[in-house]
Amino acid sequence: MVSKTVTRSRLTNWALTGAAWLTGVVVAAPIIWTVMTSFKTERSAVSNPPTVVFRPVLDGYRKAFEDAKFTRAILNSGEITVVAVVMAVLIGYPIAYALTIRPIRRRAAVLFLLVTTRIMPIPAAIFPFFTIVRMVDLFDSPVPLMWIYGAANAPLAVWMLRSYLRDIPSEVVDAAAVDGARPVQVSLRIVTPMVIPSIAAVSVLIAVFAWIEFFIAVSLTAYDAVTLPAFLAGFISGKGLYIGQLSAVSVITIIPIVTLGFVVQKPLMRGFANAVR
Amino acid sequence: MTLMAGHRHDIEHGGEGYRRSRRKAGAADRDGSKFRLPAVAWIGLAFILVTTHVPIVMTLSYSLVRWNLQRPELSKKFVGVENFRNALKLDTFYKSLGATLEMTFGTLVIILVVGLGMALLINRPFRGRAVVRTLMFAPFLVPPTTSALMWKTTMLDPGHGLVNWIGGLHTDWLAKYPMGVIVAITAWQWAAFTMLILYAGLQNEDLSVKEAARCDGAGVFRVFRHVTLPHLMPHFEVPLVLGTVFVSQLLDPIFMLTQGGPGSKTTTAAYQIYQLAFEASNIGLGSAYAIIVVALYALVMLLLVAAMRIYRRRGGGG
């Protein structure tokens, strides 16, 4: 795996590089192919054999945006995602801080409580959600989705932020405390600025989860508050035949998180690696 | 995974200005520190717990009630464990557990093997490594609904699908291998995640140990087997635990592609609960079912955690 030794021949190196590239392309093929299809005309999108060389057109995108429900879904998803991320981080950061920088009593109990939030299968929680949302007359409103995504992803924020906060040497915190800084000052002036990039990485991860959530969205919305994944579910039954348009819609659902995801790939990786160390 | 991570790391910032060893963590946990959870954190914690636990309690209470929306003539009534008894009598209950196992286990095996393979492939310097890593990681960032849609319409379509074209086949994949397709699509996304975690683990590896092993005459495979793999072992935890949690509860591809069919071939426990509650409108039975499934999940997670603990104690891994 490491090519520093001389024992490995050049040929093996070439083969391994080729294998890596081939695997990468094969793995990403569905995405690449969907992007290509999104620029085809409906006719060439379903041609058999598939067209590989074609003149790109924007028909699919144009038709996708003509659908008012689709543009609404984009706005809803964006809005819900942003609020959920802000909520999850605002809730999760103080907890992660209290569990890591200033370890509190009964940490284990708090952590255990947080783990238990993840074992309920969503369909089992959906009916209570549905009942409550109906009761308070918030069906088809974005508010319950913001609330649920924010609260349900906060434990993830805690877990990830803990793994970053652990990287901060306790000497830094202690030194500030010795200098007479109050805990709140230590937190806001010293520790928090150090983990801003990590908070960004966590935010992206939560944004991904909020952006892709399907089941709760499809159960609690109908038209006004419909999110992109819920919109897609309706799309498949209604317009399954318009492959070009469908691919354009798919590409649009992918672009925001793929872009964000690449920006923070490295800190994300470090966070996960730290979490297991 | 928070559970496991928690026990191991809680104490690293003991506040006394030194890091205690991992071994002592358990003991120090109990005598604890002088700090209490600050108010902000309390509010947040309460908020989380209300949102996630109130539904559980509500589901529990529903499970003890006869409540079928399609049969309003049967008024809501406390029936004790009758729903549970009925759930356990259902043939579909065991079938759905089987399907869940099939889906989860199949996916896990693939993502661990493929994820490891991809991580190893990019764990050496070569031209375009960053691009390849990006290509490999991309599937994880695709929403599962989109992923199901993409695979169905552009990759696996029997008429114009790319897979049949490349393979020179005329297979209707979804009709022929419904569970296989769901597993493949799910694995496609989660292998990317596994790759990223294991790659991060490989990057942390102490190269001097590997060099030493190689100098002692160990071949590539022996070094991998005895040095790299043990080092990597704890890193399998995250994809294993997260994968189990997410994959076993995954509804998107089933909803989008098969609706549980053909027959009940792809009706997993999660989908069965959904059907009972939303399609059959049998809230009582659906809730009882959900509670049983949650209990089984909890059991599986505990076993997983215990297995990892034992593995660690026996000196494996980090």
Side-chain angles (χ1 to χ4, degrees), chain A residues 1 13 17 21 27 34 48 102-103 105 107 116 121 124 127 147 168 215 253 257 262 265 272 276-277, chain B residues 9 11 13 17 33 35-36 51 53 59 124 127 133-134 141 146 149-150 159 188 197 238 274 283 290 294:
Chain A
M1 286 134 317
N13 258 328
T17 304
W21 268 99
V27 162
T34 303
N48 187 10
R102 276 176 83 223
R105 281 183 204 168
R107 293 177 290 280
T116 60
F127 206 78
W147 177 306
I168 295 176
F215 194 61
T253 65
I257 44 173
F262 291 152
Q265 221 182 103
F272 281 120
V276 287
R277 195 178 56 206
Chain B
H9 295 293
I11 305 305
H13 293 288
S33 76
F35 299 120
R36 283 165 191 281
T51 313
H53 286 224
T59 303
R124 48 183 281 282
R127 199 178 268 256
R133 191 187 64 208
T134 302
L141 296 171
T146 307
L149 209 61
M150 258 165 54
W188 176 66
I197 305 295
V238 177
Y274 162 77
I283 312 300
V294 170

Side-chain angles (χ1 to χ4, degrees), chain A residues 1-5 8 13 16-17 19-21 23-25 27-28 30-34 37 45-50 52 87 91 94-95 98-105 107-108 110-132 147-148 151-152 154-155 159 162 165-166 168-171 174 208-209 211-212 214-215 218-219 229 232-233 236 240 243 246-247 250 253-254 257-258 261-262 265-266 269 272-277, chain B residues 1-3 5-13 15-19 22 28-29 32-38 40-41 44-45 47-49 51-53 55-56 58-59 62 67 69 118 120-121 123-128 131-139 141-146 149-155 159-160 162 165 188 193 196-197 199-200 204 207 210-211 214 220 224 228 234-235 238 242 245-246 249 251-252 255-256 270 273-274 277-278 283 290 293-294 297-298:
Chain A
M1 286 134 317
V2 166
S3 55
K4 279 176 196 147
T5 45
R8 176 151 309 145
N13 258 328
L16 282 173
T17 304
W21 268 99
T23 313
V25 171
V27 162
I31 301 175
I32 299 168
W33 189 247
T34 303
T37 309
V46 294
S47 70
N48 187 10
V52 181
M87 247 174 77
I91 296 173
I95 300 177
L99 290 172
T100 319
I101 300 288
R102 276 176 83 223
I104 48 137
R105 281 183 204 168
R107 293 177 290 280
V110 172
L111 279 168
F112 180 75
L113 270 179
L114 289 176
V115 179
T116 60
T117 61
R118 291 252 49 136
I119 53 168
M120 189 69 163
I122 300 161
I126 202 72
F127 206 78
F129 279 145
F130 188 73
T131 325
I132 296 171
W147 177 306
I148 295 170
W159 178 62
R162 259 169 59 77
L165 286 171
R166 273 200 302 267
I168 295 176
S170 47
E171 289 79 11
D174 293 339
V208 171
F209 283 122
W211 182 264
I212 70 178
F214 164 67
F215 194 61
V218 86
S219 312
L232 284 182
I236 201 167
I243 306 297
L246 206 143
S247 300
S250 301
T253 65
I254 299 172
I257 44 173
V258 168
F262 291 152
Q265 221 182 103
K266 280 207 170 139
M269 221 165 68
F272 281 120
N274 280 357
V276 287
R277 195 178 56 206
Chain B
M1 60 281 140
T2 318
L3 223 188
H7 279 279
R8 272 183 287 125
H9 295 293
D10 278 327
I11 305 305
E12 285 185 10
H13 293 288
E16 285 100 332
Y18 64 90
R19 284 179 180 232
R22 195 178 281 172
D29 221 292
S33 76
K34 54 187 176 6
F35 299 120
R36 283 165 191 281
L37 199 61
V40 219
L45 195 62
F47 191 74
I48 298 174
L49 292 180
T51 313
T52 56
H53 286 224
I56 301 182
M58 285 174 74
T59 303
Y62 294 165
W67 187 7
L69 296 180
M118 293 199 296
L120 289 173
L121 274 178
N123 190 40
R124 48 183 281 282
F126 61 90
R127 199 178 268 256
V131 179
V132 172
R133 191 187 64 208
T134 302
L135 289 175
M136 287 177 175
F137 181 60
L141 296 171
V142 177
T145 9
T146 307
L149 209 61
M150 258 165 54
W151 276 90
K152 180 184 165 147
T153 55
T154 60
M155 297 302 286
H160 57 264
L162 192 64
W165 179 57
W188 176 66
F193 176 75
L196 198 71
I197 305 295
Y199 173 66
N204 279 345
L207 291 179
K210 234 158 90 173
E211 290 301 321
R214 199 162 292 146
V220 177
F224 176 72
T228 306
H235 294 267
V238 177
L242 267 187
V245 171
F246 277 94
Q249 302 185 11
L251 278 164
D252 316 30
F255 200 98
M256 298 292 282
I273 295 166
Y274 162 77
F278 276 81
I283 312 300
V293 172
V294 170
Y297 274 153

